[in-house]
Amino acid sequence: MTEDTIKRRAKGLDRAFDILDFLKEIGQPLRPNDIASGIGSPKSTVYELVASLLERRILETVGKDGHVYLGRQLYFLGQAHLRHFDLTREADHALQEIVSQTHETAQMCLLNGRKYTVALMREGERHFRISSDIGENAPIPWTASGRLLLGHLSDQQIVDLIDPDDFILPDGQRLPLETFLAQIRQASLDGFFSFDSVADTFTHCFAAPVRDAQGVSIATLCIVAPRADALNNYNDYRRVLIESANHLARRINE
């Protein structure tokens, strides 16, 4: 295989992942034409890749108008991943324990490229629902977890990672970079961060890091609680969360 062939195949693989990522972001079936426009790729390339992905059941057709969406083969691949991914399996146990002790919604959160995402969630034992869409990307500066997941990076690496527009908060104000960096460094020292959610007006978010053997935060465990309950139970929630995150870290680093 020549070097040019290898490069062409690698580029095609990148485009295939662009298609999958775009469909996940949009969250609905699309025609190949719309996908090509969305990812800025030639239509002929997208049609060729879509045909290949359909053949392998990575994509599947939806309806009769040529729409395609993520296929069931991805579900089976995901299940195979979960069976062998200790962090996910162990984290689910940790979230159940957090809910049993606090009755609040508990989450495991990760970085997804240049964004933040909720990877796992257990809803709290309340009459009303506090939850997030699993797998939906959000700007890192909007999150408590973001202060912990970036702690191993230098200031310049953080600046390079985050889209400048992501510092604009939902209320239209811009979070100063200096404030964000200072919060990251303090959160790393404390092994904890919490704040009133910037995405809504009624919840408080707690986050604690799950660190690997090198001390890098590979995930966070979080509690999302109504602000009044968070204030009344702050010390208990903080203790439960830190103990759970440390226990999870020990389990996956054994």
Side-chain angles (χ1 to χ4, degrees):
M1 188 181 296
T2 66
E3 185 175 345
D4 285 344
T5 301
I6 293 172
K7 287 181 178 179
R8 282 198 302 272
R9 290 191 175 184
K11 188 175 181 180
L13 185 61
D14 284 342
R15 289 294 191 189
F17 279 112
D18 287 342
I19 291 171
L20 299 179
D21 286 340
F22 184 65
L23 285 171
K24 171 183 170 291
E25 246 180 69
I26 297 300
Q28 64 182 27
L30 294 173
R31 294 186 181 92
N33 275 353
D34 299 323
I35 297 173
S37 298
I39 66 174
S41 184
K43 292 179 183 178
S44 59
T45 300
V46 170
Y47 271 99
E48 183 178 344
L49 288 171
V50 165
S52 181
L53 293 169
L54 286 169
E55 184 180 346
R56 289 164 174 78
R57 303 189 305 281
I58 300 299
L59 294 179
E60 60 185 33
T61 56
V62 179
K64 299 179 180 179
D65 297 322
H67 291 73
V68 299
Y69 196 59
L70 304 175
R72 280 167 287 184
Q73 183 66 12
L74 292 173
Y75 170 79
F76 296 122
L77 292 173
Q79 289 300 305
H81 168 72
L82 290 176
R83 285 195 296 272
H84 295 278
F85 188 34
D86 287 341
L87 175 59
T88 302
R89 183 171 58 250
E90 296 293 341
D92 191 49
H93 295 316
L95 298 183
Q96 292 181 57
E97 183 60 27
I98 291 170
V99 173
S100 72
Q101 293 189 57
T102 67
H103 309 294
E104 304 291 0
T105 295
Q107 302 172 338
M108 182 185 78
C109 303
L110 305 168
L111 290 182
N112 183 22
R114 304 176 68 188
K115 302 292 182 179
Y116 149 99
T117 191
V118 177
L120 286 175
M121 182 175 64
R122 288 281 176 174
E123 290 190 22
E125 299 170 357
R126 291 185 169 276
H127 295 301
F128 59 94
R129 187 171 180 263
I130 297 178
S131 64
S132 301
D133 291 331
I134 294 175
E136 182 177 348
N137 289 331
I140 297 171
W142 293 16
T143 69
S145 294
R147 275 71 176 172
L148 295 161
L149 292 168
L150 303 182
H152 62 291
L153 300 178
S154 68
D155 288 359
Q156 188 58 53
Q157 287 174 319
I158 293 170
V159 171
D160 293 341
L161 175 69
I162 298 177
D163 187 322
D165 287 343
D166 284 356
F167 287 100
I168 300 175
L169 303 178
D171 63 2
Q173 296 188 56
R174 177 176 286 275
L175 175 66
L177 175 62
E178 298 76 12
T179 300
F180 185 59
L181 294 175
Q183 290 173 341
I184 290 172
R185 302 310 170 204
Q186 190 60 52
S188 294
L189 292 174
D190 296 341
F192 175 80
F193 188 82
S194 82
F195 69 173
D196 286 342
S197 171
V198 300
D200 61 58
T201 58
F202 62 90
T203 61
H204 188 90
C205 303
F206 300 77
V210 179
R211 294 190 168 112
D212 65 12
Q214 287 71 47
V216 174
S217 179
I218 57 174
T220 59
L221 296 185
C222 308
I223 291 174
V224 183
R227 291 184 182 181
D229 294 286
L231 179 63
N232 292 335
N233 300 285
Y234 188 91
N235 291 331
D236 284 340
Y237 289 3
R238 184 179 190 274
R239 174 187 56 79
V240 168
L241 196 60
I242 292 175
E243 288 178 355
S244 296
N246 290 341
H247 178 71
L248 176 57
R250 288 193 296 271
R251 291 283 295 169
I252 64 175
N253 291 321
E254 287 176 350

